[in-house]
Amino acid sequence: ERYILELGDRSAVVRMSKIISRKVPIVSRWLSSLEAGMPIQPFNDLFLSPISLEHVVSSLAGCAYRGIVHISGQKQVSYAEFACRLAAGFGLSRDLIQPISAAQADIDLVHNPSFTRLDMGRTTADFGTRPQALADVVDSVVREASACPSPS
């Protein structure tokens, strides 16, 4: 980041929270399983502040950022809650979502940040880019899937 910022006004460091699209492997696997009537086990103790690929592209295309900027989701949620929101957005059964902890999955989380949302105060004030609402992330993934259905 330091080297990029040394380029001055011609440069920006853009930090982003978790980018989500239909093609992100975990999202693709979840949706394929739920569509097939199979359960999924997303973590209830691992968190994200999702942003859609569509939001990232429109944010980057529409602004000449300078300095350090953040693009983030408005809300931090567990992967389990996000899976429930996705299922609802696609009209799939939430009964197939069986949240588990990383410990239950026998996974040792080396890095599990307790706060995943990035502060967008400066980015919003200086450039007008706002955090993306969770419902908008889900809507974007649904639109993407409708436009380009994944092969089954």
Side-chain angles (χ1 to χ4, degrees):
E1 289 182 351
R2 183 172 37 101
Y3 294 117
I4 291 170
L5 294 172
E6 286 175 2
L7 296 172
D9 285 344
R10 301 177 311 156
S11 66
V13 171
V14 182
R15 297 175 182 158
M16 294 176 261
S17 59
K18 181 72 174 175
I19 301 171
I20 296 293
S21 87
R22 174 69 166 99
K23 295 182 180 181
V24 168
I26 195 165
V27 172
S28 181
R29 283 193 307 269
W30 284 348
L31 292 174
S32 293
S33 292
L34 293 172
E35 288 165 351
M38 298 175 61
I40 62 171
Q41 295 184 315
F43 294 138
N44 57 13
D45 59 349
L46 188 60
F47 298 88
L48 73 161
S49 295
I51 52 176
S52 68
L53 181 59
E54 178 182 63
H55 181 70
V56 170
V57 170
S58 66
S59 296
L60 294 176
C63 194
Y65 294 119
R66 294 172 311 285
I68 296 175
V69 295
H70 294 163
I71 300 175
S72 180
Q74 187 178 56
K75 182 178 180 182
Q76 173 173 296
V77 295
S78 70
Y79 276 78
E81 182 178 344
F82 185 66
C84 288
R85 298 287 186 103
L86 273 179
F90 279 87
L92 300 169
S93 176
R94 293 172 66 169
D95 293 339
L96 295 171
I97 299 172
Q98 303 167 351
I100 62 170
S101 69
Q104 288 173 302
D106 201 27
I107 293 177
D108 183 24
L109 295 174
V110 176
H111 182 67
N112 186 11
S114 58
F115 194 73
T116 61
R117 192 173 62 79
L118 301 174
D119 180 2
M120 287 192 58
R122 180 181 165 273
T123 306
T124 300
D126 291 354
F127 305 106
T129 304
R130 304 188 62 74
Q132 187 176 25
L134 185 58
D136 293 339
V137 176
V138 172
D139 289 347
S140 179
V141 175
V142 170
R143 279 193 306 276
E144 178 188 1
S146 297
C148 298
S150 69
S152 299

